[in-house]
Structures are given as structure tokens and as C-alpha cells.
Amino acid sequence: MEPIIRTENLDLYYEQFHALKSVNLDIPEKAATAFIGPSGCGKSTLLRTLNRMNDQIAGTRIEGLVSLGGADIYDKNMEVESLRKRVGMVFQQPNPFPKSIYENVAYGPRLQGIKKKSELDEIVEESLKQAALWDEVKDFQKRSALGLSGGQQQRLCIARALAVKPDVLLMDESTSALDPISTAKIEELIRQIKNRYTIVMVTHNMHQAARVSDKTVFFLNGEVIEAAETKTLFSTPEDSRTEDYISGRFG
Amino acid sequence: MARRTDFDEGLNQLRELLIRMGTHVDGALKEAVESLKNSDLAKAEEVNRRDAELNAMEEEILELGSQLIITQQPVAKDLRRIIVAFKISSDLERMGDLARDIARVTIRMDGQPLVKPLIDIPHMASIASTMISESIRSYMDENTDLAYKMAKDDDEVDELYSAMLRELYTLLLDKPESAPQMMLLQMVGRYIERIADHATNIGENVVFLVTGRRPDLNS
């Protein structure tokens, strides 16, 4: 698997706090990579670094390289908007716009200048299908997105992110607020789309990482302790700290 | 390292059950061979009767291990500890069946005198008995060296079995009237040889437990 994202000697500081320490990591293209580790280990910080969400936090300082498809995303010529079009994100809490289901998904493509109704219809349908929501909403796309259940709202947010055809989809604990059935639907959709998109997910649920990801990265105190094929990391981890953490014996 | 009290206690219970199974199998093998050597029908009946206890212990291991998987969702070595406990209990249960089969040979012979004193069979049984203890110890201590040593012991049992077959064949030519008893003794040799194979399987499982990779020690 070719890396699409690469970090080299990446350090990140929030004021004096050293949140990421010399992170060297390859994220394979068109596969799911999961970040696991205890709270405060840096996994969400690294995820937010991949689409420059940390830019908005005052006092953040970054050293080292983060590249997407070979290009330095922190280069002064990199446009953050175009970066975020290529690197979409889904958050812990579903955050649909207070608009119709259709408009939520069509929003991004419209911003990109797509005006033709038939084209937008096609994108909305395809995105909702990829997000495994189409069958449930196809007959009432004009209804408010806020009337959907939490799990449906989260899948709508995934459809909205996919509508702009990103290369990478970042998921920050995207199922932690959902019930087991909704979680299972999202895990299934990740399995369905991961050979078309690069997915990077942060999860507190280790078994979710084991179920859906191809590669798993274990973080501790801002460092990458181990990055390996998921099957290997959960059966024969190399580092005893990884084994202790995944076995629930950490601390 | 933090402890997971419930889980660790569950694992300890699994270990204790495996030790009990191992001790039981070892005892059954020794008693069965003794019963054959001394034409002791009562002892043979006792071995035959007590095999049910071993089956119950295997069931207990399956039940406890399943509960630990359901409630604790173990991964990596913790998961292998349970998978391996299942496999070892299954091997021990089969070894118990084989010891019972030896006792049943004693019962079938019904006190008839042996055509020759037993030499190879007690020798094979003694090595197999050591292998049973070693197999349990290798699991307890997660000792792969012991697992590999058992593979060598198994080769010795195989050689003794081959030698025994040759001897029985020669005897058969001399005393064709003893053929029925010799066939039974040949079966006993085969049962012990199988017990040693199962002990070697346990060694393989210990290597899998420790390394995550499965060797073939029985080839």
C-alpha cells in the first residue's frame, strides 16, 4: 500500500506543551488507518494536523513535515480551503446544517460551482448511497436533516464529506456518540468505501479499530509507539506497551 | 502493569483446571498400564469409570473460556491464552480417552497371562507420562524450550513403538496362537504413541501462545 500521507519528524506544541514528538508515519492510500491510544496521547492532535484544523488554535507551533500526495501541506503556498476539500472530516457529534437532507449534501458541490440540477441530483444520490443512507431518505430528501436520528445524521455528515470527492476522510471518534446499531452501520460503510478513499480514524474503541482498519497506530504521550498491519498489532504486537494497552493492562 | 482482576482470576481458574486435567490424565495412563501389567481388572474399571470426570473438566474449560471471551474481549496474548487452553483441554481429553482405551484392553484380556513380560509398553508410558507433566509445565511457565524438548521425546516414543511392532511381528511367527493378545498389545502401543503426539500438540500450542506463530513439532 502506497502512502498518500507522510509525516516526517513532526513535532507539535500547544504553547509549552509538547503534544506530538517526532512523529514519522506513513498513511496508506485507499485503506483505513486507525489511531488508538489513551486520552491525551496525541492521536486527535495528529488527525487535526492532517487538514490543518490546528491552525485555528492559538499558540500552536508545528515543526517537521506533513505531506499529502508528496506536497507539503504546511507550505506557504498551500491553500487551506483546497486542502480541506481533499481532506474531509467527520466529527464526534453529528453536525448537519439546519437545512434539508438534500441541501446538506449538495452544499459542498454548489460551493465548488456545480449548478446543474441533474448533476447535483446525481452527486447527492451517489454520496447518500456511499454513506448507506440513500434507502432510508430517498423519498424525503427535502425534509430537515435535523429530524434524522443521530446515526442517520452522522451518515449524512459522511455523505456531505464524500460529496466533494475528497482523497482522504478523517473521522474523529465518529461513532462514539452513537448506539451499537448505528455504529455497526458506519463501520460497515467504512468497509464499503475504504478501497475508494483513504480513511484515517481516531477511536477509543479498540475493537472497532480491529474490526474495520487495515493499519493501526498506537500513540502514547505524543509518540508513535507502534504502527502495523491491524491483524499483526492486535495479535502479536512488538512493543510491550502496545500489548499492555490493547490488553487493558495499561497504567 | 495494571491488573485486570476479573480476567486474571478467570485465567488462573483456567490454568488450575488444566493442571487438574493433566494430573488426571497422567494418573489414568499410569494406572491403565499398571492394570495391564498386573492384570488388575478392578484398577482398569476404575480408570474406565473416571474418564467422565475429565470430560466434565473439558466442558468447564470451554464454558469458562467462552465467558471470558464474551465478557472481557481479550486480544493478542490474552486471547491466545484462552484459545490455547481450549486446544490443550481437547488434547488432554483425547489423551484421557486413550488411557481409558488401554484400561479397556486390560478388561478385554480378562486376566489371561501375558505371552511375554511388558517392557516396551511401560517404557513408552513412562516417557509419555513425563511429556504430560512437561506439556502442562510448558503452558504454565510459557516455556517454549520445554515444548521443543517434547518433540524429541515424541520421536523416542515413535521409535520404541516401531521396535515394539517388529518384536510383536517376530513373536507372531513363533506363537501364532497368541495373535489376539498381540493385536491388543499392539493397540496399547499405538494408544501410548498417540498420547505422546497429543502432548507434542500441547507443546505446539505453547509455542503459538508465546510467539503467535504455529510450528509443526509432530512431523
Side-chain angles (χ1 to χ4, degrees):
Chain A
M1 287 184 281
E2 277 299 299
I4 181 172
I5 296 171
R6 168 167 283 177
T7 73
E8 286 174 33
N9 301 321
L10 177 68
D11 283 275
L12 185 144
Y13 302 84
Y14 294 126
E15 306 283 357
Q16 299 304 312
F17 178 63
H18 198 172
L20 293 175
K21 298 168 188 164
S22 193
V23 172
N24 291 290
L25 196 63
D26 283 349
I27 309 263
E29 189 172 19
K30 293 187 169 65
T33 298
F35 292 173
I36 62 168
S39 296
C41 67
K43 57 192 188 297
S44 287
T45 299
L46 179 62
L47 194 78
R48 287 196 297 267
T49 304
L50 304 181
N51 69 346
R52 293 184 55 172
M53 292 287 281
N54 288 320
D55 287 11
Q56 295 159 5
I57 301 171
T60 304
R61 187 160 53 87
I62 286 179
E63 290 166 10
L65 181 74
V66 183
S67 63
L68 172 68
D72 179 0
I73 68 167
Y74 283 88
D75 188 274
K76 60 183 185 329
N77 295 321
M78 174 66 72
E79 288 175 16
V80 175
E81 263 183 36
S82 72
L83 170 71
R84 296 207 182 127
K85 178 190 163 298
R86 289 182 66 192
V87 185
M89 192 161 192
V90 181
F91 298 87
Q92 184 174 5
Q93 291 292 340
N95 56 354
F97 303 136
K99 291 170 179 284
S100 71
I101 293 166
Y102 182 95
E103 285 305 324
N104 262 277
V105 185
Y107 186 84
R110 272 196 220 281
L111 277 184
Q112 288 173 7
I114 298 171
K115 294 199 176 75
K116 211 167 142 196
K117 172 127 188 356
S118 61
E119 205 177 329
L120 285 170
D121 286 355
E122 207 176 297
I123 292 171
V124 170
E125 179 174 341
E126 192 196 333
S127 306
L128 287 169
K129 278 181 176 164
Q130 286 184 359
L133 190 57
W134 175 250
D135 288 343
E136 291 163 54
V137 302
K138 63 183 175 198
D139 297 328
F140 34 87
Q141 296 176 58
K142 297 251 158 56
R143 285 194 199 165
S144 168
L146 302 180
L148 296 171
S149 73
Q152 288 173 323
Q153 287 188 7
Q154 194 63 305
R155 279 179 283 146
L156 181 66
C157 292
I158 293 171
R160 187 177 65 191
L162 297 181
V164 297
K165 300 193 168 32
D167 296 320
V168 180
L169 185 63
L170 307 178
M171 303 181 85
D172 195 358
E173 293 181 48
S174 302
T175 62
S176 62
L178 304 180
D179 65 84
I181 305 279
S182 303
T183 298
K185 282 185 180 166
I186 288 184
E187 288 182 6
E188 180 54 30
L189 96 82
I190 294 171
R191 274 192 288 270
Q192 298 286 332
I193 64 172
K194 71 181 184 183
N195 54 5
R196 277 176 281 171
Y197 302 93
T198 299
I199 293 171
V200 189
M201 55 195 284
V202 162
T203 177
H204 273 297
N205 181 341
M206 276 182 318
H207 290 92
Q208 178 170 73
R211 283 192 295 267
V212 300
S213 72
D214 302 288
K215 178 173 181 173
T216 299
V217 185
F218 171 56
F219 289 81
L220 189 61
N221 299 329
E223 287 177 69
V224 170
I225 302 298
E226 190 163 351
E229 198 185 339
T230 297
K231 203 170 63 181
T232 307
L233 191 126
F234 283 97
S235 54
T236 49
E238 280 189 3
D239 195 293
S240 61
R241 290 168 293 180
T242 314
E243 175 113 28
D244 288 349
Y245 180 73
I246 61 173
S247 305
R249 292 161 193 277
F250 187 80
Chain B
M1 188 196 293
R3 273 171 55 82
R4 288 177 63 180
T5 311
D6 283 357
F7 186 64
D8 289 339
E9 277 172 14
L11 282 180
N12 280 338
Q13 278 175 281
L14 276 183
R15 286 194 193 102
E16 278 167 25
L17 278 163
L18 285 172
I19 294 175
R20 273 173 55 202
M21 279 189 88
T23 310
H24 188 117
V25 169
D26 190 24
L29 173 64
K30 283 176 177 153
E31 301 275 291
V33 172
E34 277 293 304
S35 77
L36 185 70
K37 231 162 87 179
N38 305 323
S39 304
D40 186 339
L41 292 175
K43 197 171 257 181
E45 289 290 0
E46 175 76 0
V47 172
N48 190 28
R49 190 181 57 74
R50 288 195 59 197
D51 184 56
E53 293 170 25
L54 209 51
N55 300 346
M57 282 188 259
E58 187 196 14
E59 284 299 316
E60 218 178 315
I61 285 173
L62 282 176
E63 176 61 30
L64 176 61
S66 304
Q67 282 304 317
L68 285 175
I69 288 174
I70 294 163
T71 57
Q72 306 285 334
Q73 299 187 307
V75 295
K77 204 171 188 180
D78 281 339
L79 179 60
R80 289 201 295 281
R81 285 191 175 102
I82 297 174
I83 294 171
V84 163
F86 287 162
K87 307 235 352 159
I88 293 179
S89 68
S90 160
D91 276 314
L92 288 169
E93 191 275 332
R94 286 294 301 134
M95 289 152 98
D97 287 347
L98 292 161
R100 180 202 58 198
D101 291 340
I102 296 171
R104 284 180 177 172
V105 167
T106 307
I107 295 166
R108 274 179 74 177
M109 296 206 348
D110 197 21
Q112 62 175 273
L114 293 164
V115 289
K116 68 175 251 338
L118 295 184
I119 297 164
D120 289 332
I121 285 176
H123 189 186
M124 285 170 71
S126 158
I127 299 171
S129 166
T130 305
M131 289 175 74
I132 294 168
S133 328
E134 284 176 345
S135 68
I136 298 299
R137 218 168 71 225
S138 69
Y139 174 75
M140 299 296 297
D141 302 344
E142 299 184 1
N143 180 340
T144 53
D145 291 344
L146 212 46
Y148 284 106
K149 178 193 171 286
M150 280 191 293
K152 290 205 179 84
D153 293 344
D154 185 41
D155 291 343
E156 196 182 342
V157 173
D158 289 348
E159 279 164 26
L160 281 168
Y161 178 56
S162 300
M164 178 190 150
L165 283 184
R166 282 194 299 274
E167 195 194 352
L168 283 175
Y169 184 69
T170 315
L171 264 173
L172 196 57
L173 297 176
D174 283 353
K175 299 182 182 171
E177 68 284 2
S178 305
Q181 189 185 106
M182 287 182 203
M183 283 181 70
L184 288 173
L185 293 178
Q186 176 273 324
M187 278 163 63
V188 170
R190 173 77 181 146
Y191 296 149
I192 298 172
E193 188 266 331
R194 292 294 302 143
I195 287 174
D197 285 346
H198 283 289
T200 311
N201 286 350
I202 294 177
E204 280 180 2
N205 278 299
V206 170
V207 175
F208 170 67
L209 166 63
V210 175
T211 65
R213 279 167 266 286
R214 206 171 270 290
D216 182 6
L217 302 184
N218 247 327
S219 59

